[in-house]
C-alpha cells in the first residue's frame, strides 16, 4: 500500500508537469517519510548527493555528451555521409543507407542520440531532398540513424544503467556491439524493402544521386582514429571509462578545430548544451537514488518475486510482461527517466528470475531506443522534424517501417541471449 501511494504521488507530480528530476526527489522524500523519520532522510540525502557527485564514473556522462556536442559543431556527420555515400553509390537507396552507416560510425564516437540525430539532419536532409527522396523517408531514416547512438558503445544510456544498477559498464559496452550492428543491418534491409514496396519514396533522379556520390570531401580517418582510441583504450583496459571519455572529448575538439568548422559561438553552444544535459541527468540520478531507498525499504522486489512464484508464471512470461511495460513507458516518458526510475526495480527482479543483468540492460536500452521514435513522445523524431522543418505526421510516417525492423531485432535478442553476451 505504501509503495502504491508513493507511485501515485510521483504520477501526480508528473501530470502537473513538474520536471522529472524534481518529481522523483519530492516523491521520494514524501514516500520515505511514511516509513522512516525525517532525520534519517536528511542523513540519506547527504549521503546520496555526496556519493553521486563524488563518484568518478559519473564524469563519463558529461565527457561523452561534450564529445558529441564538439563533433556536431565540427560538421563530422557531413564528412561521414560523403564517404559512406561513395561506397554505396551503385545501390538503389544508397544515400539513405549511407545515412545509416554514417549514424553507426557517429554513434561509435558519441553517446547522445539527440545530438547525433541533429548532426545527421543538417548533413543528410538537404542531400536527400536534392536526390529526390520523399521528406517522410528522409526524416525517418535520419531519426532512426540517430537512435544508434543509444545502443552502439560508448553510450550514455549504458553508463546510466551501469551506475544505477552497479553493473559493469565495460561489459555493457561489449554487450552492445553485436546488437548495435544487427540493428544497423536491420535498418539497411528495411530501406531496401521499403523502396521496393514504395518506389515513389525513393530518389526520383538516380543520376543525381550517383553524381552526389562523386562529390569530393568527406575525410573520415580522423573519426576512425578517435573511435580506435576511445574503444581501444576502453576494451584493452589501458584507461578507465572516465579517462577514455575525457580523451574522446579532447579528440573531438581537435577534429572540429582542424576541420575549420568550429567557431567561438559553436564552442560556447557545445559547453552550454553539455552543462544543461548533464545537470538534468545528475538531478534525475540523485533523485532516483532517493526513490531507490524507498523501494528498498518497501521490499517491493521480494514481494514481486514471491507473487510471480505463487502465480505459476514462468520467468520468461514475467520477463515478456516487463518488456511490454517498458515499450509502453517509452512512448510516454523520457528515456533517461525510464532507465533511472525503473532499473532499480526491474534489474534485481530479472536477476532473481535467473536472467543476466548485462543482457537485461541491453534489452532495456533496446526498448528505450524504440521509445525514441514512437509517438506521442518520440524525442528523436521531434528533434529531426524541427531541424528539417518537416511536419510531425510525415516524420512519424517515415519512421514507421523502421519500427517494424526494431521489433524484429528485439525479438531476436530476447530469443537468443547469446547474441548479446557472446563478447562479454
Amino acid at each position: 500500500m505504501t509503495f502504491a501511494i508513493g507511485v501515485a504521488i510521483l504520477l501526480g507530480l508528473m501530470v502537473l508537469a513538474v520536471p522529472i528530476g524534481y518529481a522523483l526527489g519530492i516523491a521520494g522524500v514524501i514516500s520515505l517519510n511514511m516509513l522512516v523519520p525525517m532525520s534519517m532522510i536528511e542523513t540519506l540525502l547527504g549521503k546520496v548527493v555526496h556519493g553521486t557527485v563524488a563518484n568518478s564514473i559519473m564524469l563519463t556522462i558529461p565527457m561523452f555528451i561534450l564529445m558529441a556536442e564538439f563533433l556536431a559543431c565540427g560538421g563530422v556527420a557531413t564528412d561521414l555521409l560523403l564517404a559512406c555515400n561513395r561506397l554505396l553509390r551503385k545501390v538503389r537507396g544508397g544515400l539513405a543507407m549511407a545515412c545509416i552507416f554514417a549514424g553507426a560510425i557517429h554513434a561509435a564516437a558519441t553517446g547522445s542520440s539527440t545530438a547525433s540525430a541533429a548532426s545527421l539532419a543538417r548533413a543528410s536532409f538537404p542531400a536527400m531532398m536534392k536526390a529526390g527522396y520523399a521528406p517522410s523517408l528522409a526524416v525517418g531514416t535520419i531519426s532512426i540513424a540517430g537512435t544508434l547512438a543509444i545502443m552502439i558503445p560508448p553510450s550514455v544510456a549504458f553508463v546510466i544503467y551501469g551506475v544505477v544498477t552497479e553493473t559493469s559498464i565495460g561489459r555493457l559496452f561489449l554487450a552492445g556491439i553485436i546488437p548495435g550492428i544487427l540493428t544497423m543491418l536491420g535498418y539497411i534491409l528495411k530501406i531496401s524493402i521499403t523502396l521496393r514496396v514504395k518506389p515513389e519514396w525513393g530518389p526520383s533522379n538516380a543520376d543525381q544521386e550517383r553524381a552526389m556520390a562523386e562529390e569530393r570531401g568527406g575525410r573520415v580517418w580522423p573519426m576512425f582514429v578517435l573511435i580506435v582510441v576511445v574503444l581501444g583504450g576502453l576494451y584493452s583496459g589501458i584507461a578507465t571509462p572516465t579517462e577514455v571519455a575525457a580523451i574522446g572529448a579532447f579528440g573531438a575538439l581537435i577534429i572540429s578545430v582542424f576541420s575549420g568548422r568550429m567557431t567561438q559561438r559553436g564552442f560556447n553552444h557545445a559547453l552550454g548544451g553539455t552543462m544543461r544535459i548533464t545537470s538534468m541527468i545528475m538531478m534525475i540520478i540523485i533523485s532516483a537514488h532517493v526513490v531507490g531507498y524507498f523501494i528498498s525499504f518497501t521490499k517491493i522486489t521480494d514481494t514481486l518475486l514471491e507473487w510471480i512464484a505463487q502465480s505459476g508464471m514462468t520467468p520468461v512470461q514475467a520477463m515478456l510482461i516487463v518488456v511490454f511495460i517498458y515499450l509502453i513507458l517509452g512512448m510516454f516518458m523520457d528515456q533517461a527517466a525510464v532507465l533511472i526510475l525503473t532499473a532499480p526495480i526491474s534489474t534485481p527482479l530479472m536477476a532473481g528470475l535467473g536472467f543476466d543483468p548485462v543482457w537485461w540492460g541491453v534489452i532495456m536500452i533496446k526498448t528505450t531506443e524504440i521509445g525514441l521514435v514512437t509517438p506521442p513522445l518520440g524525442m528523436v523524431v521531434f528533434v529531426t522534424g524541427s531541424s528539417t522543418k518537416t511536419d510531425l505526421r510525415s516524420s512519424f510516417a517515415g519512421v514507421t517501417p523502421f519500427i517494424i525492423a526494431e521489433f524484429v531485432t528485439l525479438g531476436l535478442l530476447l530469443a537468443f541471449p547469446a547474441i548479446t553476451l557472446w563478447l562479454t
Side-chain angles (χ1 to χ4, degrees), residues 150-151 155-163 165-169 171-173 175-176 179 319 322-323 326 335 338-339 342-343 346-348 350-351 355-369 410 413-414 417 420-421 424:
I150 201 174
M151 178 62 69
S155 164
V156 173
F158 280 133
V159 175
I160 292 173
Y161 176 85
V163 169
T165 63
E166 298 182 355
T167 304
S168 168
I169 294 174
R171 286 192 67 205
L172 287 168
F173 281 173
M319 180 269 293
V322 177
V323 169
Y326 271 116
Q335 280 61 45
V338 171
L339 282 174
T342 63
S346 67
T347 303
M350 292 299 112
F355 297 106
D356 190 295
V358 172
W359 172 80
W360 177 245
V362 172
I363 296 299
M364 279 190 66
I365 301 300
K366 188 65 181 176
T367 60
T368 59
E369 179 185 86
L410 176 61
L413 297 179
L414 289 170
T420 300
L421 300 174
T424 65

Side-chain angles (χ1 to χ4, degrees), residues 298-315:
T298 59
K299 300 186 183 300
I300 188 64
T301 303
D302 295 337
T303 303
L304 288 173
L305 286 172
E306 184 179 345
W307 176 78
I308 290 171
Q310 292 177 350
S311 69
M313 193 184 302
T314 66

Side-chain angles (χ1 to χ4, degrees), residues 233-403:
L234 184 67
Y235 298 139
S236 66
I238 296 175
T240 65
T242 304
E243 293 165 344
V244 164
I247 293 169
F250 182 67
L253 176 60
I254 292 175
I255 291 173
S256 298
V257 169
F258 280 93
S259 71
R261 299 172 184 142
M262 174 65 80
T263 63
Q264 181 65 49
R265 182 179 179 182
F267 181 79
N268 293 338
H269 177 78
L271 293 180
T274 300
M275 287 189 287
R276 283 192 298 273
I277 297 170
T278 302
S279 299
M280 176 193 71
I281 292 175
M282 291 291 283
M283 182 63 193
I284 293 174
I285 290 176
I286 289 171
S287 298
H289 279 307
V290 176
V291 175
Y293 277 107
F294 169 65
I295 292 169
S296 177
F297 286 139
T298 59
K299 300 186 183 300
I300 188 64
T301 303
D302 295 337
T303 303
L304 288 173
L305 286 172
E306 184 179 345
W307 176 78
I308 290 171
Q310 292 177 350
S311 69
M313 193 184 302
T314 66
V316 172
Q317 289 173 330
M319 180 269 293
L320 291 176
I321 291 173
V322 177
V323 169
F324 177 75
I325 292 172
Y326 271 116
L327 290 171
I328 299 300
L329 287 175
M331 296 171 63
F332 298 97
M333 289 180 63
D334 175 77
Q335 280 61 45
V338 171
L339 282 174
I340 296 169
L341 179 60
T342 63
I345 301 176
S346 67
T347 303
L349 178 63
M350 292 299 112
L353 292 173
F355 297 106
D356 190 295
V358 172
W359 172 80
W360 177 245
V362 172
I363 296 299
M364 279 190 66
I365 301 300
K366 188 65 181 176
T367 60
T368 59
E369 179 185 86
I370 295 172
L372 285 169
V373 291
T374 50
L377 192 57
M379 182 63 70
V380 169
V381 180
F382 274 93
V383 169
T384 307
S386 62
S387 298
T388 60
K389 295 181 172 58
T390 305
D391 67 275
L392 287 177
R393 188 170 185 175
S394 297
S395 299
F396 279 113
V399 85
T400 300
F402 296 104
I403 296 176

